Amino acid sequence: MPEQSNDYRVVVFGAGGVGKSSLVLRFVKGTFRDTYIPTVEDTYRQVISCDKSVCTLQITDTTGSHQFPAMQRLSISKGHAFILVYSITSRQSLEELKPIYQQILAIKGSVESIPIMLVGNKSDETAQREVETKVGETQATSWKCAFMETSAKTNSNVKELFQELLALEKKRDMSLSIDGKRSGKQKRADKLKGKCSVM
Amino acid sequence: MNDICMSLQGDITWNTSLGPSISLKPVPLQSLSELERVRLQEVAFRRLIRCHDLGCHITIPKYGHKHKKSLRKKLDSLSKEKSRDKETSPQAFGIPLSHVIINDRVHKLRHDHQREEQSNTTELMLSFLHLSSGFKRPNKELSSSNSSLSSTPESHNDSPLPSTPDIASRTSRRGGVSVDCITDLDDNQARLLEALQLSLPDEAAGNRKKPRDKKLSLNPIYRQVPRIVDLCCQHLEKNGLQTVGIFRVGSSKKRVRQLREEFDQGWEVHLSDEHCVHDVAALLKKFLRDLPDPLLTRELYTAFIHTMLLDYSKQQSAIQLLIFLLPPSNSDTLQRILSLLSTVSSHAEDSLDTERRKVPGNKMTSRNLATILGPNLLHKQKSSDKEFSVQSFVHAEESSAIISVVQRMIDAYDMLFMVPADLQNEVLISLLETDSDVVEYLLRRRASQCSPTPRRRCSPSRTRPPFRL
C-alpha cells in the first residue's frame, strides 16, 4: 500500500492517443493544445484542501503506448486513485482498459475503497462515436466505479471529473478549492447516491 | 601509423599498380565483407576512443561467447529430444536475436525441403564448411554469399551483391554459400545447426583474438534481419503510412498474442491486409522489448546516451561509430527498423497526392516515434520483470536522452549506414598489415561496384595505400 505521506496521488491510465495528457493539462493549466505528442510520463502537482488543512494533489500522466508492465505496476502500487480514460471514438481503447483494471484489482486486492473513475473522453466528437454512453456506464457498473464522459477540447466535465474523484475518497476529506467553498459533506452526499454518473 | 587524421571531405585514393586508382566513396555498411565489418568494428572503436570523449567506458558488445554456450545447450537438447523441445520453446520472442535468425533459417530450410526433394546431406555440410573457410580461397568464392532470408528487397538500391567478374562460376557453384540451396534437414538437425553457426559472423567475432580473422568471409554477410521484423516492417510500409498515430494507438492484446504465438511456433506466418496495422506495430514493439539483450545492447547503453552530451556537430558521427560496434544482426535489424521509421515520419504531415487531393498525415514525427520506440530499442534493464521494476524510475530522467538519440537515428537514417571513406581507409590500412593479399581484391570489387566495367586483375602485392606506411 502507499506509504504515509501527505501527497494524494492520482494516476491516469489509458491507451495511446485517447487524451490523457489533454485532460490533465486542461485541468492543471486550463489549456488545450491541438498537437499530437505522446507522453513518456509527467507528474503535475497542485495544492488542494484536505481534512481542514492542505495537501498536494499529485497527478501522474502515464504513457499509453509502450507498456512496460513493471512500470505500470509501480504506478498502481503508488497511486491512491485512478482515472481510466478511453476515447468514445474507439471501442478498442475501452477494451485496453480491461487489463489495466484487472491489474489494479490484483495489486490493490480490492477496489472497494479505491476511487476509480472511468472516463470516456472526446465527447465532442459525436460524429466519430463508437462507444455509446450506455456502454461506458455498464462497464463502470460492473467495475463498481464511477463514470463520466468528458471533452478536454471543449472543457466539458474536466473539473468535475477531478472533483468527483476526490469525493470518492472516503479516508480523507478533500476538495479542489483551498478556501473550502465546496464542503466535503456535500460531496459525501453525492457519493451516497451511488455512482456519480453525469449525463 | 593509423594516427593520420583524414579530413572527412578529402578524396582518399588507393592505387593499384596495374589498374586505375580507386577513390573511396561512402558505401553501404551491408556491402562490406564480413572481414571488413569485423575490422570496421575495431576501427570504429579506436576512433571513438580517440575522437569522442563520451565520459564512459566503451566495450565492443560481446556476442559470440554467451550465445555459443546457449546454442550448445540448444544443440544438446535438440539431439536429445528433438521434436518435443522444438515445440515448446519459443521461436521468436524473448530469445536472443541470433537465435531468432537461426530459427528463421531452419524454418526456411524445412520449408524448402517440402518443395525440393533432392538432397545430399554431405554436400550440404561441405557447402557450409566452404562458406566458413571462404577466406582461404577468395578466388573461388568470389561471388556472393548473400541470401536474404525472406527474400525481401533491400531498403537501399545498392544491392550488396558484388557484381564480380566471375558470374559464370556462380551458377556452377554447387550449393555453395547460399542457404537457399540446402534442403535436407530432419535427421541432421543438430549438425546443421552447428554448421549454420559456423557461418554466422558472431562465431567470427568470438575468434577475433585468435589467428586473426582466419574464418571471415570476403563476401558481404547475408542480411541478418529476423523474418518477423521484415514482415512487420513491410506490412506497415504497405498499410500503415497514412494511419494516424501508427505505433502510438493501442492494439488488440488478444490478436497480438495470437500473432506472437504463431511466430513463436515457427509457423509460416503471413501478414495480410486483414491484419490491423496497430496490431502489427504492437507486435514489432513487443518483439524488440522482449529481446533478452536490447537491440542497441546493454553494453553501449551509456555510450549512446552520452552522445547527447557532445557538441551537436559531433553527435551524429559518434552515434554512427557506436552503431558500427554493434554485432551485424543488431545493426542490420536496426537499419531495417530505422528505414521503416524514417519512412513513417516522412508521412507525418498532411500532403497532396498527384491529383492535388489532401492526404492526411500520420502525425508521427521522428520525435513522436522516438518517444514511443526509443525505450524499446535503448534500455539497460534485464528482460525479467523483477530487475526491471524500480530501476525504470531511477532512469526516468535518462528517457529524454533516449528519445533524442533515437530521434537523431531516424532523422539521419540515410547517412548512418553509409561507411565514410576515411573509415574504409582505416579498415584497408588495418587489413594491409595483416592480410595484405586481400586488399587488392576488396578494392577491385569496390571499383566494380562503382562502375559497370570490370577491372583488370593485378598483383595484390603491388597495391599501394594512399600514403607511405
Coordinates of all heavy atoms in Angstrom, one line a residue, chain B residues 56-64 66-67 293-304 322 325-327 330 378-380:
Chain B
C56 N 32.6 7.7 -20.6 CA 32.2 6.4 -20.1 C 33.1 5.3 -20.7 O 33.7 5.5 -21.8 CB 30.7 6.1 -20.3 SG 30.3 5.9 -22.0
H57 N 33.1 4.2 -20.1 CA 33.8 3.0 -20.6 C 33.1 2.5 -21.8 O 31.9 2.3 -21.8 CB 34.0 2.0 -19.5 CG 34.8 0.8 -19.9 ND1 36.1 0.9 -20.2 CD2 34.4 -0.5 -20.1 CE1 36.6 -0.3 -20.6 NE2 35.6 -1.1 -20.5
I58 N 33.8 2.2 -22.9 CA 33.1 1.6 -24.1 C 33.7 0.3 -24.3 O 34.9 0.1 -24.3 CB 33.3 2.5 -25.3 CG1 32.7 3.9 -25.1 CG2 32.7 1.9 -26.5 CD1 33.0 4.9 -26.2
T59 N 32.8 -0.7 -24.5 CA 33.3 -2.0 -24.9 C 32.5 -2.4 -26.2 O 31.4 -2.1 -26.4 CB 33.0 -3.1 -23.9 OG1 31.7 -2.9 -23.4 CG2 34.0 -3.0 -22.7
I60 N 33.2 -3.2 -27.0 CA 32.5 -3.8 -28.1 C 31.6 -4.8 -27.6 O 32.1 -5.7 -26.8 CB 33.5 -4.4 -29.1 CG1 34.4 -3.3 -29.7 CG2 32.8 -5.1 -30.3 CD1 35.5 -3.8 -30.7
P61 N 30.3 -4.8 -27.9 CA 29.4 -5.7 -27.3 C 29.8 -7.2 -27.5 O 30.1 -7.5 -28.6 CB 28.1 -5.4 -28.0 CG 28.2 -4.1 -28.5 CD 29.6 -3.9 -28.8
K62 N 29.8 -7.9 -26.4 CA 30.2 -9.3 -26.6 C 29.0 -10.0 -27.2 O 27.8 -9.7 -27.0 CB 30.4 -9.9 -25.2 CG 31.8 -9.6 -24.6 CD 32.2 -10.6 -23.6 CE 33.3 -10.0 -22.7 NZ 32.8 -9.1 -21.7
Y63 N 29.3 -10.9 -28.0 CA 28.2 -11.5 -28.8 C 28.4 -13.0 -28.9 O 27.6 -13.8 -28.5 CB 28.2 -10.9 -30.2 CG 26.9 -11.1 -30.9 CD1 25.7 -10.7 -30.3 CD2 26.9 -11.8 -32.1 CE1 24.5 -10.9 -31.0 CE2 25.7 -12.0 -32.8 CZ 24.5 -11.6 -32.2 OH 23.4 -11.7 -32.9
G64 N 29.6 -13.4 -29.4 CA 29.9 -14.8 -29.6 C 29.8 -15.7 -28.4 O 29.1 -16.7 -28.4
K66 N 28.5 -15.7 -25.1 CA 27.4 -16.1 -24.3 C 26.4 -16.9 -25.2 O 25.8 -17.8 -24.8 CB 26.6 -14.9 -23.7 CG 26.3 -13.8 -24.6 CD 25.7 -12.6 -23.8 CE 25.5 -11.5 -24.7 NZ 25.1 -10.3 -24.0
H67 N 26.4 -16.5 -26.5 CA 25.5 -17.2 -27.3 C 26.0 -18.6 -27.7 O 25.2 -19.5 -27.9 CB 25.3 -16.4 -28.6 CG 24.4 -15.2 -28.4 ND1 23.8 -14.5 -29.3 CD2 24.2 -14.6 -27.2 CE1 23.1 -13.5 -28.8 NE2 23.4 -13.5 -27.5
D293 N 18.6 -9.1 -24.8 CA 19.5 -8.0 -24.8 C 18.9 -7.0 -25.7 O 18.6 -7.3 -26.9 CB 20.9 -8.5 -25.3 CG 22.0 -7.5 -25.0 OD1 21.9 -6.8 -24.0 OD2 23.0 -7.4 -25.7
P294 N 18.8 -5.7 -25.3 CA 18.1 -4.7 -26.2 C 18.9 -4.6 -27.5 O 20.1 -4.8 -27.5 CB 18.2 -3.5 -25.3 CG 19.1 -3.7 -24.2 CD 19.2 -5.2 -24.0
L295 N 18.2 -4.1 -28.5 CA 18.8 -4.1 -29.8 C 20.1 -3.2 -29.8 O 21.1 -3.6 -30.5 CB 17.8 -3.5 -30.8 CG 18.2 -3.7 -32.3 CD1 18.3 -5.2 -32.6 CD2 17.2 -3.0 -33.2
L296 N 20.1 -2.1 -29.1 CA 21.3 -1.3 -29.1 C 22.3 -1.8 -28.0 O 23.3 -1.1 -27.7 CB 20.9 0.2 -28.9 CG 20.1 0.7 -30.1 CD1 19.6 2.1 -29.8 CD2 21.0 0.8 -31.3
T297 N 22.0 -2.9 -27.4 CA 22.9 -3.6 -26.4 C 23.0 -2.8 -25.1 O 23.0 -1.6 -25.1 CB 24.3 -3.9 -26.9 OG1 25.1 -2.7 -27.0 CG2 24.2 -4.6 -28.2
R298 N 23.1 -3.6 -24.1 CA 23.2 -3.1 -22.7 C 24.6 -2.4 -22.6 O 24.8 -1.4 -22.0 CB 23.1 -4.2 -21.7 CG 22.2 -3.8 -20.5 CD 21.9 -5.1 -19.7 NE 20.6 -5.6 -20.1 CZ 20.4 -6.8 -20.6 NH1 21.4 -7.7 -20.7 NH2 19.2 -7.2 -20.9
E299 N 25.6 -3.1 -23.2 CA 27.0 -2.6 -23.1 C 27.1 -1.1 -23.6 O 27.9 -0.4 -23.1 CB 28.0 -3.5 -23.9 CG 28.2 -4.8 -23.3 CD 27.4 -5.9 -24.0 OE1 26.2 -5.6 -24.3 OE2 27.9 -7.0 -24.2
L300 N 26.4 -0.8 -24.7 CA 26.6 0.5 -25.2 C 25.5 1.5 -24.8 O 25.5 2.7 -25.3 CB 26.6 0.4 -26.8 CG 27.7 -0.4 -27.4 CD1 27.6 -0.4 -28.9 CD2 29.1 0.2 -27.0
Y301 N 24.7 1.1 -23.9 CA 23.6 2.0 -23.4 C 24.2 3.4 -23.0 O 23.7 4.4 -23.5 CB 22.9 1.3 -22.3 CG 21.9 2.2 -21.6 CD1 20.6 2.4 -22.1 CD2 22.2 2.9 -20.4 CE1 19.7 3.2 -21.5 CE2 21.2 3.7 -19.8 CZ 20.0 3.9 -20.4 OH 19.1 4.7 -19.8
T302 N 25.1 3.3 -22.1 CA 25.6 4.6 -21.5 C 26.3 5.4 -22.6 O 26.1 6.6 -22.7 CB 26.6 4.3 -20.4 OG1 25.9 3.4 -19.5 CG2 26.9 5.6 -19.6
A303 N 27.0 4.7 -23.5 CA 27.7 5.5 -24.5 C 26.7 6.2 -25.5 O 26.9 7.3 -25.8 CB 28.6 4.5 -25.3
F304 N 25.7 5.4 -25.8 CA 24.6 6.1 -26.7 C 24.0 7.3 -26.0 O 23.8 8.3 -26.6 CB 23.5 5.0 -27.0 CG 23.8 4.2 -28.3 CD1 24.0 2.9 -28.2 CD2 23.9 4.8 -29.5 CE1 24.3 2.1 -29.3 CE2 24.2 4.1 -30.7 CZ 24.4 2.7 -30.6
L322 N 29.2 4.2 -32.9 CA 28.6 3.2 -31.9 C 27.8 2.1 -32.7 O 27.9 1.0 -32.3 CB 27.8 3.9 -30.9 CG 28.5 4.7 -29.9 CD1 27.6 5.6 -29.0 CD2 29.3 3.8 -28.9
L325 N 29.9 -0.6 -33.9 CA 30.3 -1.5 -32.9 C 29.4 -2.7 -32.7 O 29.7 -3.7 -32.1 CB 30.6 -0.8 -31.5 CG 31.6 0.3 -31.4 CD1 31.8 0.6 -30.0 CD2 32.9 -0.2 -32.0
L326 N 28.1 -2.5 -33.2 CA 27.1 -3.5 -32.9 C 27.4 -4.7 -33.7 O 27.9 -4.7 -34.8 CB 25.7 -2.9 -33.3 CG 25.1 -1.8 -32.5 CD1 23.9 -1.3 -33.2 CD2 24.8 -2.2 -31.1
P327 N 27.0 -5.9 -33.1 CA 27.0 -7.1 -33.9 C 26.2 -7.0 -35.2 O 25.2 -6.2 -35.2 CB 26.4 -8.2 -33.0 CG 26.4 -7.6 -31.6 CD 26.4 -6.1 -31.8
N330 N 22.4 -7.1 -35.0 CA 21.8 -5.9 -34.4 C 21.8 -4.8 -35.3 O 20.8 -4.0 -35.4 CB 22.6 -5.6 -33.1 CG 22.4 -6.6 -32.0 OD1 22.7 -7.8 -32.2 ND2 22.0 -6.2 -30.8
L378 N 16.5 1.1 -26.8 CA 17.6 1.5 -26.0 C 17.2 1.5 -24.5 O 16.5 2.4 -24.0 CB 18.1 2.9 -26.4 CG 19.3 3.5 -25.8 CD1 20.5 2.6 -25.9 CD2 19.7 4.9 -26.4
H379 N 17.7 0.5 -23.8 CA 17.5 0.5 -22.4 C 18.5 -0.5 -21.8 O 19.2 -1.1 -22.6 CB 16.0 0.0 -22.0 CG 15.7 -1.4 -22.4 ND1 16.1 -2.5 -21.7 CD2 15.1 -1.9 -23.5 CE1 15.7 -3.6 -22.3 NE2 15.1 -3.2 -23.4
K380 N 18.6 -0.5 -20.5 CA 19.6 -1.4 -20.0 C 19.1 -2.4 -19.0 O 19.8 -3.0 -18.2 CB 20.8 -0.6 -19.4 CG 20.5 0.3 -18.2 CD 21.7 0.9 -17.7 CE 21.5 1.9 -16.6 NZ 22.7 2.6 -16.2

